[in-house]
Amino acid sequence: MTVLQLRNTLTREKESLPAPAEAGQVKLYTCGPTVYNHVHIGNWRAFVFYDVLHRALRWLGYDLRHVMNLTDVDDKTIRGSIAEGVPLREFTQRYTDFFLEDLDALRIRHPHDMPRATDAVDAMVSLVETLIDKGVAYKSDDGSVYFKISGFPGYGKLSGLDARELKAGAGGRVAADEYDKENVTDFALWKAWSEEDGDVFWETSLGKGRPGWHLECSALAMEHLGNTIDIHAGGIDLMFPHHENEIAQSEAATGETFSRIWVHNEHLMVGGKKMSKSLKNFFTFRQLVELAGATGREVRYALLNAHYSKKLNLQVTYEGEGEERHPVRFDSLLAAREALHRLDGFRAALERAGEGPDPGDAARAQLQELHAAMRSAIADDLNVPAALGKLFELVKEVNKLEGYDQAFAGEVLAVLQDVDEVLAVLEPEADAGLDADEQQLFEGWVAAREAKDWARADALRDQLQERGIGVQARKGESTWTRL
Ligand code: AMP
Ligand code: ZN
């Protein structure tokens, strides 16, 4: 039986989960989006990574419970709603809806629960009260409540901050939801209302105010999954301080391990820099659809192209200088499109298989070997690029055969279907239009038929068929379908 192995940031070791039959319910928590804008495709790298983890666990037979929060109250959401003069809930609902639509376009399975932070303020308040009772949180003069990091000896264990760094920073405090590695400080659990918050506040036993961002994940994870979860995932930029703070809040309150395994995805880069809102070097999924005719499947494939723990560079070609500079080609997307064309063509050929020779035992043994290699690559710390490598090896080997019968084609298709439970890239978009190249081939075929250039028409029809597109001419009308 295959078990999943993950590299645990906490121990810096690759660790095996118990076998599915012994693991009980696997509890997974992933840090969700802040719903104040369209998320960019760097963020989508994180969500696609969570999805691969989610799918791999279920595919290997684990009983999974997955929770992901929606951050619908923090400095940024409040600022945005005030700037537009729209109530916070209305403002965040708009971006939640966009997020869920794009989630589906990228073939991401929904977590079992996606709680909003604002629906769990009571749980957050009671967590803060527990921390005050235990002496690891204190009220400041303005009524905000801070976590005292010197009161939690394990602070820094995830990100490997040493005592020296802690000492240099300790004593200060920070109210902002986001702060950087230079500031190892007490952080806000509860923020007393201030004018910038407008009408966003809760009247609670802690006073009038709102929860801090870090608190939300601790409270939601424990409320939905219990004191100890199995796996916590997030982007590498969240390791410090966000995840460090989550551990401190949860473990100081319960005295129990908060999460056994922590996994972090590396960044999507562009031009050697992290893609981020603040650097203004980002693209949203919708921009890629508009600018490059991208599909969710292509973006997903492009994001799967590197191991989650390695940086991935989005290749873009720009023209113009300064203000005029604009993207003219998304090379990573073109590469993804090309790879998917090959896979579509391969699948279409398998589906068309009719009478043919039985390729024999050696070919079957090779098919099983490649299938096993794909399965173990995925189980080995979600090595999707290695699995894709084996998939293309399979394409090459099957194409080398001097034909095959329907039975063998069915066996190959079953292997594809199995690995696609995790990859989710093989099924063509149901309503996908033709891309620019395909459109050109199709128009060429129509024109060649009109010119009665049958040889050219046949050659173009074959090229389209290789890409998984069938063409028909009936009653003077030319149409195409995905095979
Ligand atoms: P946020 O909405 O900013 O909290 O981000 C949502 C998720 O996206 C978090 O897990 C971040 O760590 C992750 N993330 C942000 N930027 C990138 C990037 N450029 N590449 C990969 N993941 C990212
Ligand atoms: Zn979080």
Side-chain angles (χ1 to χ4, degrees):
M1 198 184 293
T2 320
V3 304
L4 182 65
Q5 288 192 300
L6 290 171
R7 189 180 176 281
N8 186 354
T9 314
L10 197 59
T11 58
R12 281 131 187 99
E13 305 266 345
K14 211 190 265 184
E15 293 176 18
S16 299
L17 263 67
E22 276 97 59
Q25 191 174 57
V26 173
K27 299 178 176 73
L28 168 67
Y29 184 89
T30 57
C31 290
T34 309
V35 280
Y36 74 112
N37 211 327
H38 290 281
V39 304
H40 57 65
I41 59 162
N43 300 126
W44 283 117
R45 185 176 188 202
F47 302 125
V48 167
F49 158 61
Y50 304 164
D51 183 55
V52 169
L53 176 56
H54 174 124
R55 285 171 174 269
L57 282 161
R58 291 176 63 177
W59 175 71
L60 291 169
Y62 289 95
D63 171 17
L64 174 70
R65 183 102 204 137
H66 178 190
V67 175
M68 179 170 82
N69 65 306
L70 298 169
T71 299
D72 65 345
V73 56
D74 79 327
D75 299 349
K76 290 183 284 198
T77 44
I78 294 176
R79 234 183 280 134
S81 75
I82 290 178
E84 279 192 24
V86 171
L88 184 66
R89 176 52 77 93
E90 194 182 311
F91 179 78
T92 57
Q93 188 62 48
R94 183 199 309 158
Y95 293 107
T96 302
D97 291 343
F98 285 133
F99 177 74
L100 295 177
E101 259 178 49
D102 294 355
L103 199 73
D104 291 336
L106 282 139
R107 305 178 174 201
I108 295 173
R109 285 205 189 144
H110 288 214
H112 299 94
D113 278 310
M114 277 191 271
R116 295 179 175 107
T118 53
D119 288 339
V121 174
D122 288 350
M124 296 182 208
V125 169
S126 80
L127 181 56
V128 176
E129 279 171 345
T130 305
L131 293 170
I132 295 175
D133 288 346
K134 301 220 166 189
V136 286
Y138 61 92
K139 235 180 190 166
S140 69
D141 300 341
D142 74 342
S144 295
V145 181
Y146 286 85
F147 187 91
K148 185 163 74 184
I149 59 172
S150 60
F152 180 68
Y155 197 85
K157 65 182 171 187
L158 179 68
S159 52
L161 291 173
D162 66 22
R164 183 176 41 80
E165 284 173 282
L166 276 174
K167 217 168 150 199
R173 32 175 207 248
V174 61
D177 281 329
E178 291 182 83
Y179 58 97
D180 56 39
K181 198 162 159 52
E182 310 312 312
N183 289 303
V184 186
T185 54
D186 291 357
F187 59 90
L189 296 167
W190 181 258
K191 299 186 188 199
W193 181 83
S194 71
E195 247 165 66
E196 299 98 78
D197 292 344
D199 60 4
V200 179
F201 61 82
W202 285 260
E203 293 278 10
T204 72
S205 56
L206 299 170
K208 175 178 172 177
R210 63 175 168 105
W213 167 49
H214 309 296
L215 185 66
E216 132 188 11
C217 287
S218 287
L220 289 172
M222 294 198 290
E223 186 183 27
H224 289 267
L225 296 169
N227 289 355
T228 299
I229 61 177
D230 298 289
I231 309 170
H232 193 312
I236 189 79
D237 54 324
L238 298 185
M239 181 171 66
F240 180 86
H242 182 56
H243 291 159
E244 205 70 77
N245 293 354
E246 281 188 40
I247 293 175
Q249 295 158 158
S250 309
E251 297 190 357
T254 65
E256 295 170 52
T257 299
F258 175 47
S259 179
R260 295 194 180 96
I261 295 180
W262 288 82
V263 274
H264 291 97
N265 65 278
E266 253 296 350
H267 287 138
L268 178 69
M269 317 289 285
V270 55
K273 297 206 175 74
K274 174 191 168 189
M275 179 176 287
S276 71
K277 286 260 156 72
S278 56
L279 290 175
K280 298 200 171 63
N281 62 353
F282 65 89
F283 296 99
T284 65
F285 170 54
R286 280 156 200 254
Q287 280 174 312
L288 294 184
V289 172
E290 255 170 52
L291 296 170
T295 64
R297 177 165 82 125
E298 289 164 355
V299 173
R300 180 179 176 96
Y301 189 95
L303 294 175
L304 288 178
N305 234 328
H307 188 258
Y308 75 84
S309 66
K310 300 271 188 318
K311 290 190 169 67
L312 170 63
N313 202 35
L314 181 78
Q315 308 275 358
V316 187
T317 304
Y318 293 89
E319 269 174 16
E321 294 295 326
E323 294 276 285
E324 303 282 284
R325 192 165 182 267
H326 61 283
V328 289
R329 205 172 57 232
F330 292 90
D331 305 80
S332 300
L333 275 183
L334 294 180
R337 189 169 290 169
E338 196 55 45
L340 288 170
H341 276 321
R342 275 189 66 198
L343 293 171
D344 287 352
F346 181 59
R347 240 178 76 120
L350 291 166
E351 277 163 2
R352 280 199 312 275
E355 300 293 302
D358 176 349
D361 291 345
R364 283 205 164 75
Q366 193 177 31
L367 174 65
Q368 292 322 317
E369 198 182 299
L370 286 166
H371 187 196
M374 285 184 252
R375 286 191 74 97
S376 39
I378 292 169
D380 178 9
D381 199 20
L382 308 172
N383 197 342
V384 171
L388 286 172
K390 291 288 169 193
L391 182 59
F392 278 100
E393 208 175 310
L394 175 68
V395 174
K396 206 174 79 197
E397 294 302 329
V398 172
N399 284 340
K400 265 199 233 159
L401 297 173
E402 286 175 10
Y404 44 76
D405 56 3
Q406 227 170 16
F408 184 78
E411 286 166 43
V412 180
L413 282 167
V415 169
L416 298 187
Q417 203 171 10
D418 180 48
V419 292
D420 202 44
E421 297 259 325
V422 177
L423 305 177
V425 291
L426 296 181
E427 201 65 51
E429 259 101 356
D431 56 350
L434 297 182
D435 69 26
D437 290 350
E438 293 165 348
Q439 186 67 30
Q440 208 175 355
L441 289 172
F442 178 65
E443 283 166 15
W445 174 75
V446 174
R449 282 184 57 86
E450 277 169 9
K452 301 202 183 329
D453 182 349
W454 306 117
R456 181 165 164 73
D458 286 352
L460 289 167
R461 187 200 53 209
D462 290 349
Q463 281 186 46
L464 283 158
Q465 206 156 53
E466 268 167 38
R467 290 168 177 245
I469 298 160
V471 285
Q472 307 84 31
R474 227 170 277 136
K475 295 186 191 150
E477 209 186 320
S478 302
T479 54
W480 58 269
T481 41
R482 297 239 173 234
L483 297 168

